[in-house]
Amino acid sequence: MKVQRIEHGTVIDHILPGMAFDVLRVLGVSNERSMSILINSHSKKGGKKDILKIEDVELSEEEASRVALVSPQATINIIVGGSVVRKFNAEAPDVVRGILTCSNPNCISNQNEPITSAFRLNTDDGHHYVCSYCERDQVDLAKRIRR
Ligand SMILES: [Zn+2]
């Protein structure tokens, strides 16, 4: 399947296979946007990847960092006038506020209190996020995205 180039917008490449829809959720991109989604595309380097092309949206680095929550190896390309004007890697943010919900039902951040959920990156053992309120390790971040 060939996908048309876009003139203006954001191309997110090297998304883990099958994670494109989680990337859209974590970004909060409206599904009324014009976009192309490639699932399990064959990568030139071997293996498979997903690719997202979102028209007329230029992601900021802060927004792009959210992509790393569900797909750490992704690259973000900002396209203007049909060419790449900026390219950066999705860097996992040190702190994530408000985007995820804690997996612990008894956590104070799940008690309808006027507080924003907060998680910090722990790199002692791989790459994972720990709740700042109850210290619970969040296992599957894609499932923790606030709806
Ligand atoms: Zn918690």
Side-chain angles (χ1 to χ4, degrees):
M1 180 177 144
K2 280 269 180 262
V3 169
Q4 276 189 315
R5 315 170 19 154
I6 60 174
E7 279 297 307
H8 176 228
T10 299
V11 174
I12 309 174
D13 200 355
H14 302 291
I15 298 170
L16 292 172
M19 298 300 277
F21 289 99
D22 289 313
V23 169
L24 281 178
R25 279 174 56 212
V26 82
L27 288 173
V29 172
S30 158
N31 52 19
E32 288 168 16
R33 287 272 172 202
S34 175
M35 61 180 106
S36 317
I37 302 170
L38 260 84
I39 307 285
N40 294 324
S41 169
H42 289 279
S43 166
K44 284 178 195 142
K45 294 173 190 162
K48 290 181 176 176
K49 62 179 182 176
D50 287 4
I51 305 172
L52 263 176
K53 300 186 181 196
I54 311 166
E55 287 184 43
D56 298 324
V57 171
E58 292 182 32
L59 290 188
S60 67
E61 290 204 33
E62 189 275 326
E63 290 171 310
S65 70
R66 293 184 213 158
V67 173
L69 299 176
V70 290
S71 199
Q73 260 89 57
T75 56
I76 289 93
N77 301 276
I78 308 297
I79 315 287
V80 177
S83 346
V84 178
V85 293
R86 268 191 307 142
K87 180 172 185 152
F88 41 89
N89 296 319
E91 299 263 3
D94 292 334
V95 178
V96 179
R97 286 181 210 284
I99 298 166
L100 307 172
T101 56
C102 181
S103 61
N104 173 4
N106 298 319
C107 177
I108 189 164
S109 70
N110 285 326
Q111 306 303 318
N112 294 318
E113 298 288 336
I115 54 172
T116 304
S117 71
F119 303 86
R120 62 173 192 279
L121 179 63
N122 183 325
T123 52
D124 293 347
D125 171 23
H127 174 107
H128 51 144
Y129 283 88
V130 177
C131 178
S132 300
Y133 295 99
C134 71
E135 301 293 319
R136 182 177 285 197
D137 204 349
Q138 309 296 312
V139 178
D140 186 348
L141 289 182
K143 290 204 176 88
R144 309 270 30 108
I145 300 168
R146 189 183 289 274
R147 286 175 187 275

